[in-house]
């Protein structure tokens, strides 16, 4: 079955983005209670590259499939969950990278490195971390996992904030987020 990525964000309205988000069907990992726990020998590097046993996972379809099984536990440990097994996975920074952003009708939508679309709001807050010297912006994605904004997406968000005023805040989905680390 061929993979059709969602259209580019720049050409979509907010309702079209919402439709694309609704089309993404994820497995119900929250309902699964696997009996076995293992080490996956997998790692997600800070740049979003996925590795297994030291080698890069080159098939993007495999990365997308694994990403749909990913959770972050309250302890901070990331895991891949199936009905039969929960496997720990090392994540250097964030599980995903936000690679594009667009503002539409009072909301900000992001494309992740896995082609997933996420609209920021109360359920998907934008989080500022770091300090004035090394600020970093993240987006809550799902199941405790986050996406770090890459440099160009950070710049897109900064432009949105500056267009709205000089307080370095953005509003999306009725929620307001500061882009300045606390």
């Amino acid at each position: 079955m061929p993979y059709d990525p969602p259209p580019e964000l720049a050409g979509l309205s907010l309702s079209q983005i919402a439709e694309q988000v609704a089309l993404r069907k994820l497995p119900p990992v929250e309902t699964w209670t696997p009996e076995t726990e293992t080490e996956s020998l997998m790692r997600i590097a800070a740049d979003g590259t996925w590795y297994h046993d030291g080698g890069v996972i080159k098939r993007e379809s495999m990365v997308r499939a694994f990403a749909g099984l990913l959770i972050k536990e309250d302890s901070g440990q990331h895991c891949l969950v199936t009905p039969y097994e929960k496997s720990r996975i090392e994540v250097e920074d964030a599980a995903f990278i936000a690679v594009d952003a667009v503002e539409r009708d009072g909301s900000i939508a992001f494309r992740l490195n896995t082609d997933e679309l996420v609209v920021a709001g109360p359920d998907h807050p934008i989080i500022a971390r770091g300090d004035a010297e090394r600020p970093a912006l993240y987006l809550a994605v799902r199941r405790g996992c986050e996406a770090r904004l890459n440099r160009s997406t950070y710049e897109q968000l900064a432009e949105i904030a500056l267009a709205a005023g000089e307080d370095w805040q953005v509003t999306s989905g009725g929620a307001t987020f500061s882009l300045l680390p606390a």
Side-chain angles (χ1 to χ4, degrees), residues 96-119:
F96 304 101
I97 304 292
V99 296
D100 193 14
V102 67
E103 182 181 31
R104 294 286 186 266
D105 302 324
S107 290
I108 303 169
F110 295 86
R111 177 186 295 274
L112 306 183
N113 59 324
T114 55
D115 277 341
E116 189 170 345
L117 302 181
V118 179
V119 178

Side-chain angles (χ1 to χ4, degrees), residues 29-90:
V29 300
E30 299 87 0
T31 64
W32 296 339
T33 55
E35 295 180 15
T36 305
E37 289 194 29
T38 63
E39 292 293 331
S40 68
L41 303 178
M42 293 176 72
R43 174 175 65 90
I44 303 173
D47 68 359
T49 304
W50 286 60
Y51 292 86
H52 179 261
D53 204 16
V56 174
I57 300 175
K58 295 179 182 178
R59 291 180 53 201
E60 292 178 12
S61 60
M62 292 294 292
V63 170
R64 282 190 299 276
F66 288 136
L69 301 172
L70 193 61
I71 66 166
K72 182 178 179 185
E73 298 180 320
D74 292 340
S75 67
Q77 176 65 58
H78 288 79
C79 297
L80 296 172
V81 180
T82 71
Y84 309 101
E85 182 176 76
K86 179 165 69 169
S87 297
R88 290 176 287 284
I89 179 171
E90 178 188 348

Side-chain angles (χ1 to χ4, degrees), residues 16-25 116-119 124:
Q16 290 170 320
I17 292 168
E19 182 180 308
Q20 291 292 319
V21 170
L23 288 174
R24 172 93 163 123
K25 302 294 182 210
E116 189 170 345
L117 302 181
V118 179
V119 178
H124 302 284

